[in-house]
């Protein structure tokens, strides 16, 4: 099995195996979660199987031809960045699906839950390994859709539905902007193939000098920021917390929200090294980092705190990937990649702890908790490890990547010079301070202090090993990465940074590296963090006051207003467009048709009409025409049904006579038979409908209808005059084929019959099916009588 | 076939059909649909006629091709356009377009099916709601 096959399998096996999951579920019943975990394990093994080659600097690239005419192939590309994401997605997937076995009640619809999780995992893997921009977009939107389904897992909770809709609106719309950005990129490069762009330095130089550069960058960044809940697009992530907690841990902290970060990292070689990149990516990142960290204070829901913290932490990553100068395009790349890995582990761990706590205490409100350390000692230790890692306390992994963040900020500040020298590091420290404060709040609020007198269940205890073990595994990774940073740096972060910077990154991450400026910044962070924490409640109270005084200063306010307005406008529009009266629709359709017909007719041949009129016909034809018009008028104007139907039937027989003049004997025969039948059916039906209703037409209605009818008649007349003027057809008529081959191929003399029963036999089969369907319909309509009573 | 009066007749049938389908009475609408389908069929067939003049039925020529006619049945003016084959041997023949006729043949049969169906539908609507007025039905449905 070569590496390309392994990646293809890792992506598509989850889809295939999720497809048969409902069947397996019938056998395994409540143990179906272990089947899903096994699938995740399989994907993890497949990713691990290709990892060694990539770590040694080899890139995997292969494709299967899909739509070669537009340059879209099913192609996969594996470099350090993809492999890191592959590990995170399948590894956390395995942990989450195992954990869910304990978390999800057996009363839930488990097959649907695990199926959607697996679909998501496959989509996410497909996205990070995509070598083609269009393919990346498809998998990207698939993750949005599966996320929508999982957030709305509890379909009958209004908040779930609200959160799911919000996430889909924001992320899928952002995805469309991203697609537009990809198309702009393609118009600059002429290819959708990502490695082809990445490995071609002259092409990247062309892009950077191109006038569409800013447009492409903006569009792609809108996609990335909406997916990663950055800037004003953050609003969907807090509402996404309505999903089951394992889903939040998997999608909305560790993997899916990092898709935007992945995109930024993937596009880094193409766009970085420019001012626009720094301003847009780091600018959005720093603002989001501070704002989200600040807003986290107000949250009382533990998942709410974690959601805002996720937004803030993702903003760290954005900021670091955005650090760039012309000389050093990737100042923060290594730090960002390491922090990305750490964030996936400690935040997923915290979410799982939150899940355990909510599961045991039946509440997620942090104000109702406290003092749980004695009752849940194991959970307490795990929570402390994860939260302290987030706060950046040594010797945990978060400390290392936060130090690297500070280093990168210092370097960036110095590179820019001027007032930036101190401003950027100061902002970074401020972000760290906020993170420190809410991290401590999580531990203090849930586990320390005194147990509230009431509001919590009597007996609270650590959960079973099914939920503890996956959480502990993550905590173990946090400690391991902190104590022995050479493992992640050598095997994961190094190759990742190397593939983004397209050079071998020389990484030396060490726990102790002397009294550097970044260590000073860390110490300042701790001091300020503790000070901030003492003011935590008053800051939260101030935010609450501000919010209730100024409800309009909020992105959510605008989102809700926009969605409400859109609903009102569209429902108003559709009720006006669809009044329900057939006449309106028919009139609109007819007038549209008239316009569509008359425009080309006028364009082609206004000069033909005067020359081509021919009134020279035999008298018997003139008589026939007169009778036809009389019959048609009779059908229209005779006031009672039966005379009108008789008149209509007369018209039908006259039409069959006309068919004979038009050299169509078969049609004439058919028409006679059909007309006889339809007259019988008409009369049968009409005698059962007493004519009670008679339309009183006002003059205005009459005038309007006559005008419309005359317009239709006139258009048809002009159309026919033109059609029979001998316009030279631009292609040879198909009819020649039938005329020439009727006898030799089908052995029939009557060409029309041969076409009906031989050349176009399937059409006739369709026609017979229509007859059958109509017969069934009539039968059922008649037999449905009396059922309603 | 360059025949202005035929075009005019078909156009008038279109006009009458259109007027009928704009009515409020369902039965009138159905009659209108029938008139319209006649008109459409005639329109299609008549556009195929200009291509040639002869009925698309091949004479028995022993299977050697279609361009030669071998016998005549009738020879008067009235039957000339109707009954085939009518040309003397050795003459080339231009048939009318057989494809449009095949299309229309299918259309005629299908319009029978749909007419039958909507008639019964109208009958059932009357049974359920006691009216054939479209506006009244709309009001009853709310």
């Amino acid at each position: 099995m070569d590496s390309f096959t392994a990646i293809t399998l890792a992506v598509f096996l989850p889809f295939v195996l999720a497809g048969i999951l409902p069947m397996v579920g019938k056998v395994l019943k409540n143990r179906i979660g272990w089947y899903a975990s096994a699938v995740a394990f399989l994907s993890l093994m497949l990713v691990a199987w290709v990892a060694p080659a990539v770590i040694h600097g080899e890139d995997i690239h292969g494709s299967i031809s899909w739509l070669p005419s537009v340059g879209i192939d099913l192609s996969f590309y594996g470099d350090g960045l993809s492999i890191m994401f592959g590990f995170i997605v399948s590894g956390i997937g395995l942990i989450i699906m195992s954990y869910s076995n304990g978390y999800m009640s057996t009363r839930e619809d488990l097959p649907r839950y695990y199926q959607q999780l697996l679909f998501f995992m496959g989509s996410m893997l497909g996205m990070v390994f995509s070598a083609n921009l269009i393919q990346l977009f498809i998998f990207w939107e698939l993750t949005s859709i599966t996320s929508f389904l999982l957030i709305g897992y509890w379909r009958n909770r209004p908040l779930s539905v609200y959160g799911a809709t919000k996430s889909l609106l924001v992320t899928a719309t952002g995805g469309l902007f991203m697609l537009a950005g990809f198309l702009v990129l393609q118009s600059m490069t002429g290819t959708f193939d990502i490695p082809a762009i990445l490995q071609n330095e002259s092409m990247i130089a062309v892009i950077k000098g191109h006038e569409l550069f800013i447009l492409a960058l903006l569009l792609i960044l809108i996609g990335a920021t909406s997916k990663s809940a950055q800037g004003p697009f953050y609003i969907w992530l807090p509402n996404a917390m309505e999903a089951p907690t394992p889903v939040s841990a998997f999608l909305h902290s560790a993997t899916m929200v990092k898709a935007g970060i992945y995109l930024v990292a993937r596009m880094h070689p193409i766009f970085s090294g420019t001012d626009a990149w720094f301003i847009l990516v780091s600018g959005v990142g720093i603002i989001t980092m501070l704002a989200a960290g600040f807003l986290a204070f107000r949250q009382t829901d533990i998942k709410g705190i974690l959601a805002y913290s996720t937004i803030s932490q993702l903003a760290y990553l954005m900021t670091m990937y955005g650090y760039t100068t012309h000389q050093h395009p990737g100042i923060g790349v290594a730090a960002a990649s390491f922090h990305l890995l750490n964030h996936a582990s400690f935040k997923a761990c915290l979410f799982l702890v939150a899940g355990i706590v909510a599961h045991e205490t039946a509440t997620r409100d942090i104000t109702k908790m406290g003092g749980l350390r004695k009752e849940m000692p194991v959970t307490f230790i795990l929570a402390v490890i994860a939260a302290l890692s987030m706060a950046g306390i040594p010797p945990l992994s978060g400390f290392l990547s936060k130090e690297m963040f500070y280093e990168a900020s210092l370097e960036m500040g110095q590179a820019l010079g001027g007032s930036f020298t101190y401003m950027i590091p100061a902002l970074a420290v401020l972000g760290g301070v906020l993170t420190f404060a809410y991290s401590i709040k999580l531990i203090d609020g849930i586990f320390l202090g005194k147990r509230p007198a009431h509001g919590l269940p009597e007996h609270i205890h650590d959960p079973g090993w099914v939920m503890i073990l996956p959480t502990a595994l993550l905590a173990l990774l946090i400690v391991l990465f902190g104590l022995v940073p050479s493992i992640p740096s050598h095997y994961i972060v190094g190759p990742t940074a190397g593939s983004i910077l397209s050079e071998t990154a020389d990484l030396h991450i060490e726990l102790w590296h002397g009294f550097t400026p970044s260590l000073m910044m860390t110490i300042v962070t701790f001091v300020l963090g503790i000070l901030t924490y003492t003011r935590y409640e008053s800051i939260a109270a101030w935010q609450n006051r501000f919010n209730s005084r100024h409800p309009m200063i909020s992105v959510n306010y605008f989102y809700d207003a926009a969605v409400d307005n859109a609903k009102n406008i569209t429902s108003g529009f559709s009720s006006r467009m669809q009044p329900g009266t057939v006449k309106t629709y028919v009139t609109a359709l007819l007038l549209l048709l008239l316009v569509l017909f008359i425009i080309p007719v006028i364009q082609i041949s206004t000069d033909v009409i005067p020359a081509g009129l021919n009134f020279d016909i035999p008298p018997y034809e003139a008589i026939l025409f007169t009778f036809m018009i009389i019959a048609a008028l009779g059908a229209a104007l005779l006031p009672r049904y039966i005379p009108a139907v008789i008149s209509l039937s007369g018209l039908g027989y006259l039409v069959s006579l006309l068919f004979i003049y038009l050299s169509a004997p078969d049609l004439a025969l058919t028409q006679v038979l059909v007309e006889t039948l339809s007259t019988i059916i008409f009369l049968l039906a009409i005698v059962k409908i007493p004519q009670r209703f008679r339309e009183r037409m006002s003059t205005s209605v009459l005038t309007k209808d006559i005008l419309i009818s005359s317009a239709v008649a006139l258009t048809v007349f002009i159309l026919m005059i033109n059609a029979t003027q001998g316009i030279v057809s631009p292609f040879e008529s198909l009819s020649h084929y039938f005329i020439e081959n009727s006898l030799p191929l089908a052995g029939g003399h009557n060409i029309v019959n041969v076409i009906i029963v031989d050349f176009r036999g399937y059409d006739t089969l369709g026609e017979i099916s229509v007859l059958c369907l109509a017969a069934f319909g009539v039968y059922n309509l008649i037999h449905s009588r009396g059922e309603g009573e | 076939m360059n025949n202005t009066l035929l075009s005019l007749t078909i156009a008038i049938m279109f006009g009458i059909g259109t007027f009928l389908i704009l009515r409020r009475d369902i039965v009138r609408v159905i009659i209108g649909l029938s008139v319209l389908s006649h008109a459409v069929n005639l329109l299609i067939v008549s556009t195929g006629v200009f291509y040639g003049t002869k009925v698309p039925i091949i004479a028995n020529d022993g299977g050697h091709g279609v361009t030669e006619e071998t016998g005549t049945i009738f020879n008067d003016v009235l039957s000339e356009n109707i009954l085939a084959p009518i040309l003397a041997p050795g003459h080339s023949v231009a048939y009318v377009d057989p494809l449009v006729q095949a299309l229309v043949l299918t259309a005629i049969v299908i319009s029978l099916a749909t007419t039958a169906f909507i008639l019964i539908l109208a009958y059932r609507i009357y049974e359920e709601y006691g009216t054939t007025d479209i506006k009244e039905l709309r009001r009853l449905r709310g």
Side-chain angles (χ1 to χ4, degrees), chain A residues 142-466:
Chain A
L142 271 178
T143 63
S144 288
I145 292 167
T146 40
S147 157
F148 165 76
L149 292 172
L150 283 164
I151 297 170
Y153 175 76
W154 284 302
R155 295 167 181 170
N156 39 12
R157 294 187 190 173
L159 277 176
S160 292
V161 175
Y162 174 77
T165 316
K166 202 174 191 177
S167 83
L168 187 71
L169 279 177
V170 175
T171 58
T173 314
L176 293 179
F177 278 96
M178 182 187 77
L179 177 65
F182 287 169
L183 294 176
V184 175
L185 198 58
Q186 195 262 351
S187 74
M188 289 191 272
T189 60
T191 177
F192 284 122
D193 198 44
I194 299 170
I197 303 175
L198 293 183
Q199 287 157 5
N200 189 339
E201 286 191 12
S202 60
M203 198 182 273
I204 292 176
V206 168
I207 295 171
K208 282 180 183 166
H210 204 282
E211 55 186 355
L212 292 174
F213 173 82
I214 290 286
L215 181 66
L217 176 60
L218 263 179
L219 289 170
I220 291 175
L221 279 184
I222 289 176
T225 48
S226 67
K227 193 83 164 179
S228 287
Q230 298 296 295
F233 303 116
Y234 82 89
I235 51 166
W236 70 267
L237 191 58
N239 290 101
M241 293 300 129
E242 293 303 323
T245 303
V247 172
S248 307
F250 189 22
L251 273 72
H252 306 123
S253 79
T255 57
M256 192 197 86
V257 287
K258 292 209 171 70
I261 306 294
Y262 168 80
L263 187 68
V264 165
R266 184 48 90 209
M267 294 293 145
H268 190 279
I270 303 176
F271 293 104
S272 71
T274 59
D275 295 338
W277 178 265
F278 170 68
I279 294 167
L280 287 171
V281 181
S282 288
V284 169
I286 289 176
I287 294 169
T288 314
M289 170 177 81
L290 298 178
F294 184 64
L295 288 174
F297 283 40
R298 196 166 78 85
Q299 301 299 315
T300 52
D301 178 357
I302 38 180
K303 279 179 81 180
I305 301 176
L306 290 176
Y308 278 94
S309 130
T310 304
I311 298 169
S312 175
Q313 295 287 317
L314 292 171
Y316 274 51
L317 302 175
M318 278 280 180
T319 311
M320 285 187 262
Y321 279 123
Y323 283 162
T324 185
T325 62
H326 296 291
Q327 289 76 33
H328 303 284
I331 292 174
V333 166
S337 308
F338 190 32
H339 195 63
L340 197 157
L341 184 67
N342 292 337
H343 176 254
S345 54
F346 67 65
K347 189 52 67 63
C349 184
L350 278 174
F351 264 107
L352 296 188
V353 166
I356 291 173
V357 171
H359 200 256
E360 299 301 324
T361 62
T363 177
R364 289 187 345 219
D365 190 342
I366 200 164
T367 57
K368 291 182 185 158
M369 296 178 193
L372 295 180
R373 67 185 179 283
K374 287 179 197 137
E375 286 155 290
M376 308 171 84
V378 182
T379 315
F380 173 58
I381 293 166
L382 298 177
V384 166
I385 291 172
L388 292 188
S389 176
M390 180 157 81
I393 309 270
L396 300 165
S397 61
F399 165 71
L400 296 170
S401 49
K402 176 127 349 144
E403 291 266 277
M404 289 168 76
F405 172 49
Y406 288 160
E407 260 171 51
S409 301
L410 278 171
E411 200 180 327
M412 188 65 210
Q414 275 158 5
L416 287 174
S419 55
F420 288 108
T421 319
Y422 299 104
M423 199 179 90
I424 289 180
L427 290 173
V429 168
L430 189 54
V433 168
L434 295 169
T435 308
F436 183 88
Y438 63 67
S439 304
I440 300 301
K441 173 71 182 171
L442 279 174
I443 298 175
D444 189 23
I446 302 174
F447 295 102
L448 303 181
K450 274 171 73 178
R451 194 184 202 278
H454 44 80
L456 288 182
E458 286 276 313
H459 299 287
I460 298 175
H461 50 80
D462 275 321
W465 65 272
V466 177

Side-chain angles (χ1 to χ4, degrees), chain A residues 509-532:
Chain A
I509 305 174
E510 280 174 59
L511 205 49
W512 176 249
H513 40 74
F515 287 102
T516 55
S518 56
L519 188 65
M520 294 302 144
M521 287 164 77
T522 305
I523 293 167
V524 171
T525 306
F526 293 160
V527 173
L528 286 178
I530 291 165
L531 285 176
T532 311

Side-chain angles (χ1 to χ4, degrees), chain B residues 92-105:
Chain B
S92 287
V93 184
Y95 297 114
V96 299
D97 195 335
L99 189 60
V100 290
Q101 294 195 7
L103 284 178
V104 169
L105 203 129

Side-chain angles (χ1 to χ4, degrees), chain B residues 24-95:
Chain B
R24 275 167 60 187
D25 187 345
I26 294 183
V27 178
R28 296 279 171 198
V29 173
I30 298 173
I31 293 175
L33 283 173
S34 286
V35 175
L36 269 184
S37 72
H38 286 318
V40 170
N41 291 343
L42 283 175
L43 187 149
I44 296 175
V45 173
S46 67
T47 53
V49 172
F50 75 87
Y51 170 72
T53 52
K54 300 296 169 242
V55 170
I57 297 176
I58 302 163
N60 191 356
D61 62 347
H64 293 300
V66 295
T67 51
E68 302 222 334
E69 292 294 329
T70 52
T72 50
I73 299 171
F74 295 105
N75 226 348
D76 61 308
V77 182
L78 193 62
S79 68
E80 187 170 314
N81 282 336
I82 307 168
L83 300 164
I86 33 81
L87 280 188
H91 282 258
S92 287
V93 184
Y95 297 114

Side-chain angles (χ1 to χ4, degrees), chain A residues 579 583 612 614 617 621 638-639 641 660 663 671 690 695 705 709 713 720 735-736 749 751 767 781 784-785, chain B residues 2-5 11 15 19 23-25 28 38 46 51 56 58 82 97 101 106 109 123-124 126-127 138:
Chain A
K583 193 168 170 175
N614 169 24
I617 51 161
E621 278 193 38
L638 285 172
Y641 285 157
I660 295 179
S663 312
Q671 181 69 37
E695 189 179 353
D705 289 357
S709 311
M720 285 195 65
S735 309
H736 297 287
H749 291 273
I751 306 171
E767 173 194 337
L781 276 174
S784 68
R785 276 187 305 179
Chain B
N2 186 0
N3 187 335
T4 310
L5 285 179
F19 180 77
R23 299 279 57 78
R24 275 167 60 187
D25 187 345
R28 296 279 171 198
H38 286 318
S46 67
Y51 170 72
I58 302 163
I82 307 168
D97 195 335
Q101 294 195 7
T106 310
V109 177
Y123 163 54
R124 290 284 297 126
Y126 173 76
E127 268 196 338
R138 171 83 188 150

